[in-house]
Amino acid sequence: MRLLRPHLRRAALAAALTSLAAVAGPALPARAAAPASAVLDQGHQSTTWQSPAYAKGTLGGAGSCPSAAQDPGGTVCGRFDLTVDVPAGYWDDNPEGGVPISIQWQDPTEDFDLYVYDAAGQEVAESAGTADPEATVIPKPSGTYHVLVVPYDTHGGSFTGRAYLPQSTDAGDLTSFGGGQGSYDIAAGTLKAKVDFLADDQLRLRAAPDGVLTDPAGATIVRKQPELQRTTSTFDAGDYYGIRSKDLVLRVYKHPLRFGLYRADDRTAVWQEDAPLRWSTGGLRQSLVRGADEQFFGGGEQNGSFSHRDRTVHVANSTDWNEGGYNNSQPFYVSSAGYGVFRNTFAPGIYDFGAPVRTGQQERRLDAYYFTGDVKSVIGQYTALVGKPFMPPVYGLEPGDSDCYLHNANRGERHTTDAVKVADGYVQNGMPLGWMLVNDGYGCGYENLPQTGEGLRKDHAQLGLWTQNGLPNQSEEVKAGVRVRKLDVAWVGNGYDFALNACDRAKAGIEDNSDARGFVWLPVSWAGAQRCGVLWSGDQSLSWDYIRWQIPTYAGATMSGIAYDTGDVGSIFRRDPKMYTRDLQWKAFLPAIMTMDGWARDMTGKEQRDQQPWLDGEPYTSINRKYLQLKERLLPYMYTLSAEATRTGIGAVRPLALEYPHDPNALGPNATYEFLAGPDFLVAPVYSDTSVRNGIYLPEGTWTDYWTGRTYQGPTTIDGYSAPLDTLPLFVKGGSIVPMWPQGTLSWQTRDRSELDYDLYPEARGDSSYTLYEDDGVTRQFSAGASATQRVDMQVAGPVTVVKVGASEGSYSDKPASRAYRFTVHGQSAPRQVVTRGGPLPRLASAAALDAAAAGWYHDAATGVTTVRTPKLSTDHGFSVELIHGGS
């Protein structure tokens, strides 16, 4: 649909502000050049206007539109001035939160964009690349606004514009109540509502002011509706009717109709409406009492934030890729009060988490699923409904590389097979590479696809394609070796339904034509996308600020069950060696990452730069290699977290508040710019030009500096942490058991399968355990049970540290029958003896001697790390290793 890249369109949009300022400023052009206008106030509730016909489009963004003085009849771009004059407080509790503007073309296939600017020329709303009729909302408007319609690609059509002031109506008194067996019908005059209990701790509430309950989303988001929980009952408490399940009571108040959800005691509120449902011309909101300390998370990907108390969250299709954008938002939120809500809709929404909490969608209906429990439980219930995170192929957790090789106007003519030369560069520089996108659907096709795929596979990378407008050749492309797909705004942006359908189709296209797992990336999505794709936060320009705001973005997405959310390493547009290296360091702890090549320039904007991690030379190349190789070694840990996400809905990248819900500092400013990679690693990225990191918050427990071995007792805050360019502040929680592939691993295919390493951080007191997950890494046989788990227990009892490794239970293709194990045990003095079931192991004089030996142990006094290497042992049987300290 969109041939102009969204980021290029935005650049043109910025250029257009100059011409718009002439319209917005105090000195208007001659009256003949002024756009048509209207006023919305108490006496003028709505307005419509008609455009001229547009024989052809601009094929550009707002910057392609002449000024109003140069285009007095609006024959190139449509303009309309709208003045909104409403009483103070008019928008405080309005379901739509502003003035809706819609643009309806005679021919719905006409391609256009809609922008709204305030009197100062600042953009306040947009709708670009969404469904027809295209619509947006001017949030809480007051004053004059300038509407600009850009006919991007049109063929003689015209449009009708419409704007209106939403008028509100509240639900009245209850007029009927009845039902049973888990389903209940409720009415308040013309408003009809229906309550379905779906489990003892879940229910669905629907309401329609006109009495007609509809389901526009159908089976697109919720592919299979849960069965009713029929063991419910009702009672009359005078002021309200109660509907009781084993765990909950839903109160249905009579005067006026309101709802409240309570625990089984009917005294402890989960949530309580403070006012009746309110609806307007095109919206409906629910208003809830906010708890004194209640916190709110979710909303999908919200760029720059993970916690939303006292914030207004937009749930819509935004192509603003920067801080404040919400292109991968979801109509779901979870509360620390013990509940979560999913709105089953494709309509945009605004969630105001003030006091009271007011949440609504831009449609005159309510269709809400309520889940109860702690935050993790609610995320699990939500993803069980819309789809658990998918299980990626193991190469999907390795770095990816993306560029346009054929017909790249930015780089000159190249050939698709040139991608193999770049893959060769990763091998030559000792850097892992899992996959490559070799084209760009915006005019950059491909040639020699089978040969390209073959060349990439020799470098242990999988072939991927980027599509702008569809998937017409999936069968042949997959047969040629395609195992990765990236979708784009111009296609998936055509409404949320289309986005979700595209993700499902792209994943299925790979799986229907091969034995591989589908691996899909997309930049605009909706609820349910976690079941099929990696969400990508869009096209950004490199800066220290870019690094900063992405940290809470990806951690926050986890709170909506999004297990894979990421951004381009070093951004897409600019490159600076230091900032690139700092960005790569922390993104090595995200499950999925890629570089976007071929569009960047240096910070001056003059020199073309690619984004491969060795291009800046030393010391940057060595530092980047260090972190990419660490990422590769940690793949058993990250892969196990992926398997966990398919069961629980909880992804690897977590805000501290998820693991430490009772620690108020986990919501503080310091915790905002750090995250947990799984429960064991705390990552505190450096996001400014400094070699010192301040404000590192460590929650309760013992934390070990990954690089120095120094331990800290939390809760504590570290200031003045030395973080030169090669050092990412990284801490490991006491009791952690971390599986790793052997040192020097560069690919999942070439790893040494005869050895598995465990990095251990024993606590002075207490036991810990870990269960490793393994399968073949690439096929879908795991879904039929072809996988294995291995439990490891660590116990510290006085002078003895015992590591018990259980048998590997289960089977899968190419499962090793035996393997050696290497344990690195941190934070202890040299043991007197290390013993396995075969007897004591020899103590060796150096790490090199240990590497050369079949088995033994070595203690490094400088780091306090004891390394133990076992001989090859059968994976069908368990064993133990004892580190004995003290005594003679």
Side-chain angles (χ1 to χ4, degrees):
M1 175 179 164
R2 181 78 64 244
L3 297 178
L4 182 66
R5 290 183 171 282
H7 57 263
L8 297 180
R9 188 186 70 226
R10 289 195 308 278
L13 178 63
L17 288 177
T18 302
S19 63
L20 283 162
V23 177
L28 288 173
R31 188 171 182 81
S37 62
V39 174
L40 292 180
D41 57 22
Q42 296 302 294
H44 305 85
Q45 300 295 309
S46 66
T47 185
T48 60
W49 69 96
Q50 187 67 38
S51 78
Y54 295 95
K56 63 179 182 178
T58 64
L59 294 180
S64 62
C65 297
S67 68
Q70 296 168 326
D71 184 24
T75 57
V76 180
C77 296
R79 286 183 170 83
F80 190 80
D81 284 358
L82 184 68
T83 299
V84 181
D85 183 11
V86 293
Y90 185 90
W91 301 113
D92 289 350
D93 192 15
N94 187 283
E96 292 172 78
V99 167
I101 297 179
S102 63
I103 303 296
Q104 178 73 63
W105 287 77
Q106 294 171 320
D107 179 355
T109 65
E110 302 283 31
D111 189 0
F112 69 102
D113 297 323
L114 168 64
Y115 303 98
V116 182
Y117 305 88
D118 64 15
Q122 298 298 310
E123 183 185 326
V124 295
E126 71 168 58
S127 183
T130 55
D132 188 81
E134 203 148 334
T136 190
V137 171
I138 308 175
K140 299 182 178 180
S142 178
T144 298
Y145 298 85
H146 310 290
V147 180
L148 178 68
V149 178
V150 184
Y152 178 81
D153 187 11
T154 55
H155 307 86
S158 63
F159 67 83
T160 301
R162 179 172 184 256
Y164 65 86
L165 276 181
Q167 303 296 305
S168 298
T169 303
D170 290 345
D173 289 346
L174 181 73
T175 54
S176 68
F177 174 84
Q181 298 292 301
S183 184
Y184 300 87
D185 295 307
I186 299 159
T190 61
L191 180 139
K192 300 293 189 296
K194 192 174 188 66
V195 175
D196 292 327
F197 270 77
L198 308 174
D200 288 326
D201 56 357
Q202 295 181 30
L203 61 92
R204 181 185 187 186
L205 172 61
R206 288 175 284 172
D210 62 2
V212 180
L213 299 176
T214 60
D215 187 2
T220 305
I221 306 175
V222 181
R223 292 184 289 190
K224 183 179 179 181
Q225 289 291 343
E227 297 291 330
L228 288 175
Q229 168 60 279
R230 299 187 179 277
T231 56
T232 58
S233 60
T234 63
F235 60 91
D236 189 341
D239 291 339
Y240 60 88
Y241 289 106
I243 306 173
R244 185 186 298 278
S245 71
K246 176 176 173 290
D247 297 334
L248 301 170
V249 171
L250 179 69
R251 293 183 179 182
V252 182
Y253 293 92
K254 301 177 182 179
H255 307 291
L257 172 64
R258 290 179 298 124
F259 298 94
L261 190 63
Y262 284 71
R263 302 293 179 194
D265 61 9
D266 195 25
R267 292 189 299 273
T268 306
V270 179
W271 55 260
Q272 171 66 61
E273 289 185 346
D274 76 316
L277 293 176
R278 171 172 287 190
W279 59 90
S280 59
T281 315
L284 184 148
R285 71 98 178 100
Q286 184 180 44
S287 183
L288 304 178
V289 176
R290 189 180 75 174
D293 300 312
E294 190 174 2
Q295 302 294 330
F296 303 90
F297 313 97
E301 179 193 277
Q302 296 286 330
N303 286 352
S305 65
F306 78 90
S307 178
H308 308 315
R309 182 181 170 94
D310 292 322
R311 293 174 54 90
T312 297
V313 169
H314 292 265
V315 180
N317 181 342
S318 162
T319 50
D320 177 2
W321 308 125
N322 298 302
E323 187 168 18
Y326 40 88
N327 44 299
N328 284 303
S329 56
Q330 297 195 1
F332 164 80
Y333 74 88
V334 56
S335 163
S336 64
Y339 77 94
V341 186
F342 161 61
R343 296 289 183 88
N344 182 39
T345 180
F346 284 114
I350 298 176
Y351 299 171
D352 182 349
F353 293 111
V357 175
R358 290 167 174 156
T359 62
Q361 311 294 142
Q362 292 171 29
E363 60 181 359
R364 281 168 52 99
R365 58 186 290 273
L366 173 70
D367 189 350
Y369 291 79
Y370 297 88
F371 317 99
T372 60
D374 62 25
V375 171
K376 285 187 175 181
S377 171
V378 166
I379 295 171
Q381 294 173 63
Y382 165 57
T383 52
L385 185 71
V386 304
K388 284 287 196 293
F390 72 102
M391 186 65 185
V394 66
Y395 51 77
L397 302 183
E398 295 178 318
D401 189 287
S402 174
D403 201 351
C404 161
Y405 289 92
L406 188 65
H407 311 311
N408 186 338
N410 217 26
R411 293 292 307 275
E413 189 61 29
R414 297 183 296 177
H415 298 283
T416 306
T417 52
D418 289 336
V420 179
K421 300 174 186 177
V422 175
D424 292 344
Y426 280 90
V427 174
Q428 293 159 6
N429 284 279
M431 296 181 179
L433 175 68
W435 51 276
M436 289 188 72
L437 301 173
V438 300
N439 76 315
D440 175 346
Y442 292 86
C444 175
Y446 59 77
E447 61 186 5
N448 301 320
L449 202 61
Q451 296 93 322
T452 303
E454 181 181 4
L456 293 181
R457 288 190 293 275
K458 288 180 180 178
D459 286 332
H460 313 296
Q462 298 297 316
L463 175 63
L465 290 179
W466 185 340
T467 181
Q468 175 246 335
N469 57 5
L471 297 166
N473 304 309
Q474 284 207 92
S475 176
E476 292 304 313
E477 290 168 346
V478 174
K479 290 176 184 177
V482 171
R483 296 295 181 268
V484 183
R485 284 281 185 192
K486 181 178 180 294
L487 312 178
D488 214 316
V489 178
W491 178 30
V492 303
N494 188 21
Y496 311 115
D497 188 352
F498 200 5
L500 195 56
N501 176 265
C503 185
D504 284 332
R505 282 177 54 199
K507 184 173 185 289
I510 294 172
E511 297 182 350
D512 290 347
N513 294 286
S514 73
D515 65 352
R517 305 173 198 173
F519 189 57
V520 180
W521 286 52
L522 66 163
V524 175
S525 63
W526 199 245
Q530 49 266 67
R531 70 191 183 216
C532 57
V534 176
L535 307 187
W536 167 72
S537 62
D539 293 338
Q540 290 119 9
S541 293
L542 182 63
S543 68
W544 290 113
D545 202 45
Y546 158 81
I547 297 173
R548 174 192 59 79
W549 65 254
Q550 288 184 99
I551 301 165
T553 300
Y554 307 136
T558 301
M559 306 299 264
S560 294
I562 299 170
Y564 308 99
D565 195 18
T566 190
D568 301 331
V569 174
S571 85
I572 181 175
F573 291 131
R574 296 193 294 187
R575 182 167 179 123
D576 171 84
K578 185 183 292 186
M579 282 190 275
Y580 180 96
T581 295
R582 284 299 196 190
D583 196 43
L584 183 147
Q585 286 175 356
W586 73 272
K587 283 180 177 170
F589 285 84
L590 303 182
I593 61 171
M594 75 169 172
T595 60
M596 190 77 81
D597 307 307
W599 295 277
R601 296 183 178 273
D602 65 9
M603 300 301 282
T604 69
K606 297 179 180 179
E607 182 183 345
Q608 177 71 43
R609 300 298 306 273
D610 277 351
Q611 299 280 38
Q612 280 81 32
W614 62 84
L615 295 179
D616 293 314
E618 297 298 343
Y620 309 104
T621 297
S622 293
I623 298 171
N624 295 338
R625 181 187 298 115
K626 166 185 171 180
Y627 284 93
L628 290 177
Q629 288 192 6
L630 177 58
K631 177 178 178 59
E632 191 74 16
R633 288 199 71 199
L634 286 169
L635 278 187
Y637 179 77
M638 198 63 74
Y639 195 70
T640 296
L641 288 170
S642 291
E644 177 185 314
T646 66
R647 300 189 304 271
T648 66
I650 307 296
V653 180
R654 306 171 184 181
L656 271 64
L658 182 61
E659 296 292 337
Y660 301 90
H662 303 298
D663 183 348
N665 290 315
L667 294 164
N670 288 337
T672 298
Y673 299 110
E674 58 190 44
F675 65 94
L676 297 167
D680 301 293
F681 289 95
L682 188 147
V683 185
V686 177
Y687 53 88
S688 62
D689 189 5
T690 180
S691 59
V692 176
R693 177 62 152 87
N694 292 315
I696 300 174
Y697 178 68
L698 303 178
E700 65 179 349
T702 301
W703 296 89
T704 298
D705 186 318
Y706 188 78
W707 311 112
T708 68
R710 178 179 175 181
T711 59
Y712 299 85
Q713 194 64 41
T716 189
T717 299
I718 304 172
D719 289 321
Y721 181 91
S722 177
L725 186 61
D726 68 344
T727 301
L728 167 73
L730 180 64
F731 303 85
V732 189
K733 188 175 182 180
S736 293
I737 300 170
V738 180
M740 303 180 77
W741 284 339
Q743 187 76 37
T745 300
L746 297 179
S747 168
W748 69 276
Q749 288 182 298
T750 61
R751 73 187 188 275
D752 183 357
R753 296 171 183 262
S754 68
E755 178 180 313
L756 179 65
D757 298 353
Y758 279 100
D759 205 24
L760 309 176
Y761 294 81
E763 289 266 47
R765 296 178 298 277
D767 303 338
S768 57
S769 65
Y770 176 85
T771 300
L772 172 74
Y773 172 87
E774 298 175 289
D775 60 31
D776 67 24
V778 291
T779 76
R780 301 188 302 281
Q781 294 179 13
F782 75 94
S783 61
S787 62
T789 58
Q790 183 177 46
R791 175 168 170 149
V792 180
D793 291 279
M794 183 167 58
Q795 303 170 338
V796 178
V800 180
T801 298
V802 181
V803 181
K804 295 181 179 179
V805 180
S808 177
E809 300 181 355
S811 63
Y812 57 90
S813 176
D814 294 329
K815 175 184 173 181
S818 64
R819 60 190 172 200
Y821 293 85
R822 184 185 297 254
F823 303 97
T824 46
V825 186
H826 294 256
Q828 295 184 336
S829 60
R832 174 173 57 83
Q833 195 174 47
V834 177
V835 179
T836 68
R837 66 184 181 189
L841 294 176
R843 179 173 185 172
L844 301 172
S846 66
L850 181 62
D851 290 339
W857 64 277
Y858 165 72
H859 180 78
D860 187 338
T863 62
V865 175
T866 300
T867 303
V868 180
R869 187 178 184 188
T870 75
K872 280 191 175 182
L873 300 170
S874 169
T875 54
D876 290 337
H877 302 285
F879 66 95
S880 64
V881 174
E882 296 185 5
L883 286 76
I884 303 171
H885 298 78
S888 59

